[in-house]
Amino acid sequence: MKRTPKFDKAWSESIAMLPAELQQPLIDAIKEYQTTGIEPADLSPIAQCVFNLLKPIIDRRAKAASDQRRRREAKAVVQCAPVTIEAGRRVKQDRKYIRLLAKRYNLIHRDIKAEIDRVSALLAANGIERIPVYLYKEYLEQRLADITAPEDSAKYK
């Protein structure tokens, strides 16, 4: 069920109206149900009635917390690989890497950044929505190597 039990002020005020011998067992039963999901079996009829009225609220909150936890975990898995365009932006902002590419392939920064945009468009056109940055860099370097490769000398003869 829920990791941290929540006990509303209105619940406390309502339980305070019950006879003293019913209050503590009911409070314990509510907290036990919130943490473990085990329904109480030994409550008095009045305390069981109050518990039954609170049970749907506890269940609804537990389901909402569970759904939120599931969404958070799913989002964390998705964030491992950024969107292709975002991967391109990250590579563009990596100045050291751009300088390294400029030296390695003898290109100016503007041309490298234009190739980054082309790689992003190419990957997106091929249906690759999310890609790790290291894989994006591999695609980019392959593309730059193909562009800067010496032309076949047979063409010019």
Side-chain angles (χ1 to χ4, degrees), residues 77-128:
V77 170
V78 169
Q79 287 179 347
C80 291
V83 177
T84 302
I85 305 254
E86 180 62 28
R89 279 193 209 116
R90 288 182 185 178
V91 172
K92 269 186 182 181
Q93 293 172 354
D94 189 352
R95 291 180 179 163
K96 287 182 180 178
Y97 184 68
I98 297 290
R99 277 190 229 119
L100 174 79
L101 292 177
K103 285 182 184 177
R104 184 181 296 161
Y105 298 105
N106 197 22
L107 292 170
I108 59 175
H109 292 215
R110 180 187 61 198
D111 293 340
I112 294 170
K113 290 182 178 184
E115 279 307 312
I116 290 171
D117 291 336
R118 286 188 195 101
V119 167
S120 293
L122 181 67
L123 290 171
N126 286 327
I128 299 174

Side-chain angles (χ1 to χ4, degrees), residues 6-16 61:
K6 181 177 179 183
F7 208 85
D8 289 353
K9 185 179 179 183
W11 295 359
S12 297
E13 291 171 355
S14 298
I15 292 172
R61 287 179 180 170

Side-chain angles (χ1 to χ4, degrees), residues 7-154:
F7 208 85
D8 289 353
K9 185 179 179 183
W11 295 359
S12 297
E13 291 171 355
S14 298
I15 292 172
M17 293 179 200
L18 293 173
E21 63 273 359
L22 299 179
Q23 292 178 8
Q24 194 57 45
L26 179 59
I27 291 170
D28 293 340
I30 291 169
K31 289 182 179 178
E32 178 72 19
Y33 183 70
Q34 285 180 329
T35 55
T36 63
I38 299 172
E39 291 189 37
D42 57 344
L43 288 178
S44 69
I46 294 173
Q48 185 66 44
C49 180
V50 173
F51 177 82
N52 289 342
L53 292 172
L54 298 178
K55 186 177 178 276
I57 297 168
I58 296 168
D59 291 342
R60 186 177 59 242
R61 287 179 180 170
K63 184 180 181 313
S66 174
D67 292 345
Q68 178 63 31
R69 204 170 18 258
R70 199 173 321 111
R71 280 191 302 271
R72 220 178 301 125
E73 289 167 357
K75 187 178 178 182
V77 170
V78 169
Q79 287 179 347
C80 291
V83 177
T84 302
I85 305 254
E86 180 62 28
R89 279 193 209 116
R90 288 182 185 178
V91 172
K92 269 186 182 181
Q93 293 172 354
D94 189 352
R95 291 180 179 163
K96 287 182 180 178
Y97 184 68
I98 297 290
R99 277 190 229 119
L100 174 79
L101 292 177
K103 285 182 184 177
R104 184 181 296 161
Y105 298 105
N106 197 22
L107 292 170
I108 59 175
H109 292 215
R110 180 187 61 198
D111 293 340
I112 294 170
K113 290 182 178 184
E115 279 307 312
I116 290 171
D117 291 336
R118 286 188 195 101
V119 167
S120 293
L122 181 67
L123 290 171
N126 286 327
I128 299 174
E129 295 177 11
R130 296 190 171 278
I131 186 168
V133 174
Y134 75 90
L135 196 56
Y136 186 96
K137 287 180 177 180
E138 286 181 21
Y139 286 128
L140 176 63
E141 289 189 35
Q142 280 180 333
R143 180 125 171 125
L144 291 174
D146 292 343
I147 290 172
T148 59
E151 296 291 327
D152 188 8
S153 59

